[in-house]
Amino acid sequence: MEPGETAFLEKVFRMCDETQKGFLSREDLKVAVLYLFGYKPSKHEVSQLLKTEHSSLQTPGMTVKSFQQIMARKLQALDDEQDIREKFQMFDIRCQGYLTLEDVKQAFRLVAPNISDATVNSCYKSICANNNGKLSFRDFQLAMDNNFLTHNYN
């Protein structure tokens, strides 16, 4: 975690710990997640976040250190997903919300012209889970998250 990120997350923590208890209650944590990510977390998500906290410390809520660590991981995951979404959108030149084999071939011609059409075809078929000729963002994301291309085609 970078110093600027640590300071920012501590500031959010202090802002949400209005009564300066030294920890975030369930309600405080909901406000913090809403502030950081723009959505109100479900009861289940809050319970999971607090469960992570309670497994390491016996506090009635989430401490600043745990908050910083957990939220830094959530922010990193969000950044990773945004990066993958931007790559998907670059390939989806017709803004259809899915990639066809031709879209993928065209993208490979631009970024990796030495890869054969046979390899691109094989790759596409391997990651296109529904076999309807439309590669969804979720399939693309799974392939990118699992480093599919690196592990299978290098």
Side-chain angles (χ1 to χ4, degrees), residues 13 16-17 20-25 28 59-64:
F13 179 92
C16 294
D17 181 18
Q20 299 176 343
K21 305 174 293 297
F23 62 87
L24 296 182
S25 67
D28 297 336
T59 60
M62 185 175 285
T63 64
V64 67

Side-chain angles (χ1 to χ4, degrees), residues 7 17 25 27-28 33 35 45 66 69 80 93 115 122 126 129 133:
D17 181 18
S25 67
E27 290 304 313
D28 297 336
V33 171
Y35 181 83
E45 183 178 356
S66 291
Q69 292 170 345
D80 292 346
I93 57 175
I115 295 179
S122 176
S126 295

Side-chain angles (χ1 to χ4, degrees), residues 1-11 68:
M1 197 170 8
E2 296 179 22
E5 185 178 40
T6 302
F8 171 70
L9 289 172
E10 183 173 352
K11 183 177 178 182
Q68 289 169 319

Side-chain angles (χ1 to χ4, degrees), residues 104-121:
V104 174
K105 282 182 180 179
Q106 184 173 356
F108 270 85
R109 281 186 211 113
L110 292 172
V111 297
N114 296 331
I115 295 179
S116 71
D117 276 355
T119 301
V120 175
N121 288 341

